Amino acid sequence: MCHRKPGTPGVGKTTLGKELASKSGLKYINVGDLAREEQLYDGYDEEYDCPVLDEDRVVDELDNQMREGGVIVDYHGCDFFPERWFHIVFVLRTDTNVLYERLETRGYNEKKLTDNIQCEIFQVLYEEATASYKEEIVHQLPSNKPEELENNVDQILKWIEQWIKDHNS
């Protein structure tokens, strides 16, 4: 059983993923960290001031772990991951004013700030998720306040328990 959490940068994917992993015993993988550690890049984007992910190498790197299951994958995009990898996909959503403050404190340049806010406004990542996976496995969760984080963790843990029951009987 694997699940995936796409969403605009700054919506709380990493906080949620780590919290879920510690409470569920599932393995947590942050694709950005993995790419940094293994140097899974294909050049550098000057405009956004960041390295370009080599998506094929990321998929190769993760494939064995994903086959074993029990993995939480954290990344802001999802269209290049094989559909067979995931049983459920959670897209985190944040109000743009909250998101702007979070990204500003990360020191994003103006272009990166504007593009990520627009990405959230136009639900780009939710649409990418529904285009990449069966619509019934894609769920949106609000991620503005600490109590929403706790709520999301509880909701996903309940889903995990139910999935395990349904598949181990």
Side-chain angles (χ1 to χ4, degrees):
M1 183 261 306
C2 302
H3 83 268
R4 157 96 199 88
K5 299 179 336 307
T8 311
V11 294
K13 295 179 303 297
T14 302
T15 307
L16 178 64
K18 287 179 173 173
E19 185 80 5
L20 270 174
S22 76
K23 290 188 172 178
S24 67
L26 297 178
K27 182 176 185 172
Y28 167 78
I29 296 175
N30 180 305
V31 173
D33 292 347
L34 175 75
R36 255 188 308 284
E37 288 156 19
E38 303 296 325
Q39 288 299 300
L40 306 174
Y41 298 126
D42 187 21
Y44 195 82
D45 187 322
E46 299 297 334
E47 194 177 16
Y48 288 99
D49 191 26
C50 65
V52 177
L53 194 69
D54 185 330
E55 296 173 350
D56 292 338
R57 286 179 60 211
V58 169
V59 170
D60 290 345
E61 187 74 29
L62 285 175
D63 202 45
N64 286 338
Q65 293 174 75
M66 297 308 291
R67 274 182 226 267
E68 287 166 24
V71 183
I72 296 165
V73 176
D74 168 359
Y75 194 58
H76 55 259
C78 63
D79 58 345
F80 66 94
F81 294 120
E83 190 177 356
R84 63 184 154 77
W85 276 7
F86 302 107
H87 295 99
I88 196 158
V89 177
F90 296 102
V91 180
L92 301 184
R93 303 299 309 273
T94 302
D95 293 340
T96 52
N97 53 348
V98 174
L99 186 60
Y100 191 91
E101 285 173 23
R102 289 181 190 171
L103 296 180
E104 207 174 29
T105 60
R106 290 183 177 191
Y108 277 31
N109 69 32
E110 200 53 45
K111 169 124 183 87
K112 208 167 168 179
L113 252 176
T114 309
D115 285 0
N116 279 301
I117 297 298
Q118 283 182 337
C119 193
E120 187 63 15
I121 290 168
F122 295 118
Q123 299 190 26
V124 171
L125 294 162
Y126 175 67
E127 286 174 12
E128 179 184 294
T130 54
S132 302
Y133 303 96
K134 289 189 190 91
E135 213 159 324
E136 63 268 21
I137 75 161
V138 179
H139 304 272
Q140 295 191 76
L141 297 172
S143 184
N144 299 294
K145 306 186 277 280
E147 51 271 28
E148 287 177 335
L149 171 71
E150 286 170 43
N151 224 349
N152 291 341
V153 169
D154 293 342
Q155 203 179 325
I156 296 171
L157 286 171
K158 281 189 187 111
W159 179 86
I160 291 169
E161 280 169 35
Q162 191 58 53
W163 191 93
I164 291 169
K165 269 186 204 151
D166 293 349
H167 292 81
N168 288 342
S169 52

